[in-house]
């Protein structure tokens, strides 16, 4: 992939993003064609190199030190500053793509698509594309710090953190199937908006996305999922907590007014958790830059 490529609508020869309405999107390189002219030759200027993605990559290489480490507050602020200023064009996207302007409703179960920009042992840069009503079901990020930047569209996000045992009066809320979680986020987000951060034990480590309109979200994950290293993705079903539904007479002792809770039950991987993978052909990162 040559620098300066961009993501554009294509016709029947385009690369298909895996959603069921078969809208076509893809990456193409701008081609400079020479025209015969007796007086002058017009040359098309190459699109400018996008530094934002390169800056993000270099910052991630400095910030993420490997499994068992969490970025410092200063490093979190550094990455958020870069992400907050990133635009769809920085990763080869445009709101004018057919994917983001569907002419008809998706038939059947909407399929979510993802692409990996870069991955190493310490971190991963990736994107997810959700058609309208597309869902990434409730799942966790064990031992991971994740930065998310909504680039295009509107989506509902709901997230939980596990409740510490000392917050439960009877201390017996743990069961073989259910565990109590505190709702951290439950609302609609629309691009452009600031990035969000979740940590191994705080910030809404267990979350779910539901697209209201077609969406694109950029994720920075450190370290990446790894079943071999004990960072496998687990899925959950949530049930709202009420005092009448408390297990074994347990009640919660909220730290603040207005706190909400839910029972989380680990489940097998849902059918709608299947994600189609496509090749990333947008602006590339340069690994040896700055070395």
């Amino acid at each position: 992939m040559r620098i300066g490529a961009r993501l554009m609508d294509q016709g029947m020869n385009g690369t298909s993003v895996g959603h069921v309405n078969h809208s076509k999107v893809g990456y193409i390189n701008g081609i400079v064609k020479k025209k015969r002219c007796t007086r002058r030759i017009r040359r098309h200027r190459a699109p400018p190199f996008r530094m934002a993605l390169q800056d993000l990559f270099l910052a991630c290489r400095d910030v993420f030190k490997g499994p068992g480490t969490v970025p410092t507050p200063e490093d979190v602020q550094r990455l958020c500053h870069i992400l907050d200023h990133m635009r769809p064009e920085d990763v080869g996207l445009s709101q004018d793509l057919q994917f983001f302007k569907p002419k008809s409703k998706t038939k059947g179960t909407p399929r979510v698509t993802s692409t990996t920009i870069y991955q190493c042992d310490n971190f991963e840069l990736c994107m997810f594309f959700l058609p309208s009503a597309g869902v990434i079901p409730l799942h966790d990020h064990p031992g991971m710090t994740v930065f998310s930047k909504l680039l295009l569209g509107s989506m509902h996000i709901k997230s939980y953190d596990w409740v510490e045992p000392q917050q439960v009066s009877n201390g017996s809320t743990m069961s073989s199937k259910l565990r109590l979680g505190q709702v951290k986020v439950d609302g609609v987000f629309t691009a452009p908006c600031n990035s969000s951060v979740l940590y191994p034990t705080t910030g809404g480590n267990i979350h779910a996305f539901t697209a209201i309109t077609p969406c694109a979200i950029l994720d920075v994950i450190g370290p990446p999922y790894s079943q071999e290293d004990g960072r496998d993705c687990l899925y959950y079903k949530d049930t709202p907590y009420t005092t009448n539904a408390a297990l074994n007479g347990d009640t919660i002792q909220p730290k603040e007014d207005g706190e909400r809770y839910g029972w989380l039950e680990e489940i097998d991987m849902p059918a709608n958790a299947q994600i189609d993978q496509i090749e990333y052909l947008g602006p590339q990162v340069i690994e040896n830059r700055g070395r």
Side-chain angles (χ1 to χ4, degrees):
M1 158 71 186
R2 294 186 294 273
I3 293 175
R6 57 197 178 98
L7 184 63
M8 298 180 62
D9 283 321
Q10 294 184 353
M12 296 303 293
N13 295 325
T15 302
S16 176
V17 168
H19 50 88
V20 296
N21 66 0
H22 301 297
S23 298
K24 304 286 184 176
V25 299
Y27 294 87
I28 67 170
N29 288 314
I31 301 174
V32 177
K33 294 183 178 180
K34 292 184 179 179
K35 296 182 179 180
R36 292 193 176 187
C37 182
T38 56
R39 294 187 178 181
R40 73 177 188 179
I41 298 176
R42 290 185 178 181
R43 290 185 174 87
H44 297 277
R45 293 184 178 180
F49 174 62
R50 296 289 180 180
M51 282 300 301
L53 182 61
Q54 183 67 22
D55 290 343
L56 178 64
F57 165 72
L58 293 175
C60 289
R61 196 168 60 179
D62 290 340
V63 167
F64 291 103
K65 306 301 183 183
T69 63
V70 177
T72 66
E74 293 77 15
D75 285 337
V76 169
Q77 185 177 7
R78 177 185 176 187
L79 289 180
C80 285
H81 178 77
I82 296 173
L83 286 166
D84 289 347
H85 289 84
M86 289 190 70
R87 300 178 296 169
E89 293 79 9
D90 293 321
V91 287
L93 298 178
S94 167
Q95 62 182 356
D96 296 326
L97 292 171
Q98 184 180 351
F99 177 83
F100 300 106
K101 299 192 302 183
K103 296 180 181 180
S104 60
K105 292 184 178 180
T106 300
K107 297 179 181 180
T109 302
R111 296 281 294 195
V112 175
T113 304
S114 72
T115 188
T116 299
I117 300 172
Y118 177 86
Q119 182 172 345
C120 63
D121 291 340
N122 289 350
F123 68 92
E124 177 182 3
L125 306 178
C126 58
M127 286 192 293
F128 294 89
F129 304 96
L130 289 76
S132 294
V135 174
I136 299 180
L138 200 63
H139 63 284
D140 67 355
H141 307 81
M144 302 154 72
T145 303
V146 181
F147 297 76
S148 296
K149 168 68 174 179
L150 182 61
L151 295 170
L152 289 165
S154 296
M155 66 165 49
H156 179 267
I157 300 176
K158 189 172 187 180
S159 67
Y160 291 89
D161 283 329
W162 295 120
V163 169
E164 298 297 331
Q166 59 267 26
Q167 282 187 251
V168 183
S169 61
N170 196 25
S172 58
T173 54
M174 298 294 291
S175 75
S176 59
K177 293 184 178 181
L178 296 177
R179 185 174 174 184
L180 199 61
Q182 181 183 348
V183 177
K184 304 301 292 186
V185 175
D186 188 8
V188 174
F189 295 79
T190 301
C193 58
N194 288 338
S195 54
S196 60
V197 190
L198 64 83
Y199 302 92
T201 60
T202 60
N205 185 277
I206 306 161
H207 68 194
F209 297 156
T210 303
I212 298 173
T213 67
C215 295
I217 187 165
L218 171 64
D219 268 6
V220 178
I221 305 172
Y225 284 108
S226 172
Q227 187 173 6
E228 294 180 356
D229 296 327
R231 296 190 303 277
D232 195 12
C233 184
L234 300 179
Y235 295 89
Y236 299 88
K237 178 179 70 175
D238 61 337
T239 302
Y241 169 90
T242 63
T243 54
N244 293 332
L247 291 179
N248 303 322
D250 295 330
T251 57
I252 301 172
Q253 300 172 356
K255 295 180 180 179
E256 298 179 6
D257 293 337
E259 288 183 348
R260 296 166 50 210
Y261 301 87
W263 294 112
L264 303 185
E265 178 182 2
E266 183 180 336
I267 59 174
D268 293 333
M269 182 178 179
N272 62 353
Q274 296 287 343
I275 295 179
D276 297 329
Q277 301 287 332
I278 60 172
E279 182 182 4
Y280 174 72
L281 298 175
Q284 303 293 297
V285 298
I286 304 174
E287 292 192 56
N288 61 355
R289 190 179 183 91
R291 287 292 190 186

